[in-house]
Amino acid sequence: MEAKTQELNEHILPPDVKVRPYYDRSDLVQLTIDTVEHNLLLGMILVFVVLMAFLVSFRAAVIVALTIPLSLLFAFIFVHAEEFQRTCFR
């Protein structure tokens, strides 16, 4: 965002016109991403520990614990693909 704003100010706009960001949300976005990563990791660990306690099978616990982030990843991939299809084939 900062690089695009700088490029816009230096090369595209007239010299007496400048664009200044009003809000800088980069800190909030980074904090949100860190929180999601932390909660996802904590959820995986908690699921792994509970499954190890009940199933007493390391292999089964690992498979189920890895299913959580993979299902989230595939959900994001399909949502992104659906959005792409809706914008391209209107």
Side-chain angles (χ1 to χ4, degrees):
M1 176 86 174
E2 292 174 14
K4 282 291 189 184
T5 304
Q6 185 177 2
E7 177 187 343
L8 187 67
N9 284 333
E10 292 175 358
H11 302 293
I12 298 173
L13 293 175
D16 58 336
V17 176
K18 298 290 181 200
V19 172
R20 281 191 342 207
Y22 189 70
Y23 285 123
D24 184 15
R25 297 287 197 185
S26 58
D27 293 336
L28 178 64
V29 169
Q30 188 59 45
L31 180 65
T32 304
I33 290 171
D34 291 342
T35 303
V36 168
E37 288 176 353
H38 177 262
N39 289 338
L40 188 61
L41 184 64
L42 191 63
M44 283 177 54
I45 291 170
L46 184 62
V47 165
F48 180 76
V49 168
V50 168
L51 286 173
M52 280 297 295
F54 286 112
L55 295 178
V56 194
S57 171
F58 180 77
R59 182 174 176 220
V62 168
I63 290 171
V64 174
L66 288 178
T67 303
I68 295 170
L70 288 177
S71 64
L72 186 62
L73 175 68
F74 284 121
F76 284 141
I77 289 172
F78 288 130
V79 165
H80 181 70
E82 179 66 27
E83 180 66 29
F84 176 74
Q85 287 177 355
R86 278 193 283 154
T87 56
C88 288
F89 299 114
R90 279 194 171 174

